């Protein structure tokens, strides 16, 4: 990949920052997100073809508001400032930003201004309608533009919605082009990337694999690493990437924490050892985890305990191998954002991010933190991973512990495992598994009265959760054909000892989350 094929997003803390990077990668331009503190020197060394300043929650005049190294504007690289990024550019280059009379949140309409200085259209709006629906989220507005800048679009209330400097190729837009509600967002991005920044659009996931493997090689070189394997696509892809870079210096550690699905430990071991020829150590830590979880009902506590215990097991195994420097994890972007970044608030501490103990003996090697789930699957395809593994539904690190609500014990786990197995089996038989993004059973800890034979029963209720989603950030419940639900329910109550009732969860995310804990 030539260096000019790199677009850099400087992160000012918006929830949408990763979405910008993803949209750019969808256009076959490689994109990396760097902290807003990155200076011109470092950027120059990377030699990007474009710099994008993301949105952010602050006002540019607020105390401690994130700034920018002014020398970045002297690099001769096209810059696109989005929302906060535009306001920062305006302030930094001598224009004026002020608090608006009222904020603008949600749908808005902009009018593209004809360039008064030439017959040409503003390059990022070329060929697009004069009136466009966009999505805004801001309070501050640009009062006056810095010298050399022109106004490219106005809102209906005559605020500056887009500005640009034609000679320097600096663009500022007040709206969010990365969200789908902005009608021509993708087209504006296209024009910025290909007409203004002149990217070739030749980057692919294949080049991602290549550059990630060489990056890992550079960072970890001849050092030794261990990888925590769960059998899911994320940790497997992370392991395969690191394996390509480090070869036998990578040892995979598969911890059976007793919170896995039926037959999972056996399947995982077989796949890794036989299909990939990887070095895999199997650790039976079932009793250890279940003892630690005794009496614990708080979901966040469960996550922290499991996260901490995982790391401890890894450390112990790594110490046995000796001279290990890195711990490889399959953390993906959704895990990072939902555990809270500097600006986003904590939703759940996923075991492999927020749940990490503060003191760790190993450094983390996480090659997938900038990717969304569907992007990881594209990498999996490049790595020739069998579809069955690449398309396996996501499974949370804390496993069944967050699907047994309240205290976890072996008896409840066993009931849940059996119900979950039947559920997946029936869905596969109905050929619906690949239509669903995530599917599982939950044991809510509710017992109810039923009748089996002529006898009254008082047994567990099991809930079924099936959702569709693109990246786990939002989700909708799956519309099952009734006859499939009927088969699932019939088999579960007949075959699983301890369950006499099956319910179906019809909640979307938000307001629900996908998991129940
Ligand atoms: P929620 O429940 O937050 O789940 O809507 C979104 C996605 O993340 C998975 N998930 C986790 N994954 N550790 C993980 O590795 C966790 O602690 C965790 N909690 C939720 C969940 O299965 C879904 O795919």
């Amino acid at each position: 990949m030539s260096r000019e094929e790199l677009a850099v997003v400087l992160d000012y803390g918006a929830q949408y920052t990763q979405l910008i990077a993803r949209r750019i990668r969808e256009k076959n331009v490689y994109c990396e997100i760097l902290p807003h503190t990155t200076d011109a020197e470092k950027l120059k060394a990377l030699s990007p073809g474009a710099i994008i300043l993301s949105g952010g929650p602050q006002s540019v005049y607020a105390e401690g508001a994130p700034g920018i190294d002014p020398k970045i504007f002297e690099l001769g690289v096209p810059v696109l400032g989005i929302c906060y990024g535009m306001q920062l550019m305006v302030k930094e280059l001598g224009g004026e930003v002020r608090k608006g009379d009222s904020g603008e949140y949600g749908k808005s309409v902009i009018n593209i201004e004809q360039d008064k200085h030439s017959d040409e259209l503003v390059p990022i709006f070329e060929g697009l309608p004069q009136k466009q629906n966009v999505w805004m989220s801001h309070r501050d507005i640009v009062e006056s533009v810095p010298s050399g800048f022109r106004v490219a679009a106005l809102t209906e209330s005559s605020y500056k919605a887009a500005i640009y400097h034609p000679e320097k190729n600096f663009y500022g837009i007040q709206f969010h082009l990365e969200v789908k509600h902005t009608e021509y967002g993708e087209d504006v991005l296209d024009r910025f990337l290909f007409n203004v920044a002149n990217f070739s659009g030749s980057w692919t996931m294949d080049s991602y694999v290549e550059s990630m493997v060489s990056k890992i090689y550079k960072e970890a070189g001849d050092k030794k690493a261990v990888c925590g394997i769960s059998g899911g696509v994320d940790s497997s892809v992370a392991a395969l990437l690191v394996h390509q870079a480090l070869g036998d210096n990578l040892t995979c550690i598969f911890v059976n924490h007793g919170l896995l699905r039926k037959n999972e430990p056996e399947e995982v071991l077989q796949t890794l050892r036989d299909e990939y020829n990887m070095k895999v150590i199997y650790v039976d830590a079932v009793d250890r985890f279940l003892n630690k979880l005794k009496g614990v009902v708080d979901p966040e506590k469960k996550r922290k305990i499991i996260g901490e215990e995982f790391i401890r097991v890894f450390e112990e195994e790594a110490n046995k191998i000796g001279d290990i420097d890195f711990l490889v994890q399959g953390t993906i972007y959704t895990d990072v954002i939902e555990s809270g970044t500097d600006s986003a608030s904590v939703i759940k501490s996923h075991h492999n991010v927020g749940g990490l103990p503060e003191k760790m003996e190993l450094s983390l090697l996480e090659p997938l933190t900038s990717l969304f789930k569907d992007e990881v699957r594209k990498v999996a395809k490049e790595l020739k991973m069998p579809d069955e593994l690449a398309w396996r539904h996501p499974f949370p690190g804390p496993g069944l512990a967050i699907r047994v609500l309240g205290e976890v014990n072996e008896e409840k786990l066993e009931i849940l495992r059996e119900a979950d197995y039947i559920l997946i089996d029936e869905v596969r038989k109905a050929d619906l598994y690949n239509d669903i993004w995530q599917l599982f059973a939950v044991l809510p800890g509710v017992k109810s009265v039923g009748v089996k034979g002529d006898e009254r029963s008082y047994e567990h209720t099991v809930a079924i959760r099936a959702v569709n989603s693109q990246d786990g950030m939002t989700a909708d419940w799956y519309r099952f054909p009734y006859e499939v639900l009927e088969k699932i329910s019939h088999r579960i109550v007949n075959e699983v000892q301890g369950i006499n009732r099956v319910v179906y969860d019809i909640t979307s995310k938000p307001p629900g989350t996908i998991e129940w804990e």
Side-chain angles (χ1 to χ4, degrees), residues 303 335 338 348-352 394 396-398 402-403 437-438 472 509 513-515:
R303 281 193 166 79
D335 304 333
E338 297 229 331
K348 283 178 184 176
S349 48
H350 287 212
H351 87 287
N352 44 5
I402 55 168
R403 294 177 181 173
W437 194 80
Q438 196 169 13
K509 172 183 179 177
T513 49
I514 296 176
E515 302 289 346

Side-chain angles (χ1 to χ4, degrees), residues 224-243 249-257 260 268-269 272 278-283 289 306-307 309-315 317-318 321 324 326-332 335 351-352 356 360 362-368 395-397:
K224 285 194 195 168
V226 285
C227 179
I229 281 284
S230 68
V233 60
D234 301 343
S235 57
S236 308
V237 169
L240 281 176
L241 282 172
V242 176
H243 189 241
N249 274 343
L250 168 72
T251 306
C252 293
I253 299 176
F254 175 56
V255 179
N256 183 358
H257 51 20
L260 298 167
V268 171
L269 276 182
L272 295 180
M278 285 177 147
K279 267 205 228 165
V280 189
I281 295 175
Y282 172 79
V283 191
F289 276 83
I306 295 165
E309 211 50 25
F310 242 106
I311 301 292
R312 295 291 160 242
V313 176
F314 283 136
E315 279 177 350
E317 293 304 317
I321 301 166
I324 298 288
F326 291 100
L327 170 66
V328 180
Q329 290 210 116
T331 316
I332 67 168
D335 304 333
H351 87 287
N352 44 5
L356 285 177
M360 267 188 45
L362 302 170
S363 307
L364 285 182
L365 191 56
E366 300 181 307
L368 307 177
F395 186 65

Side-chain angles (χ1 to χ4, degrees), residues 442 463-467 477-478 503-508 513-514 516:
V442 178
I464 295 169
R465 185 76 165 136
V467 294
W477 57 280
Y478 181 70
V503 297
Y504 187 39
D505 179 353
I506 51 167
T507 321
S508 61
T513 49
I514 296 176
W516 277 36

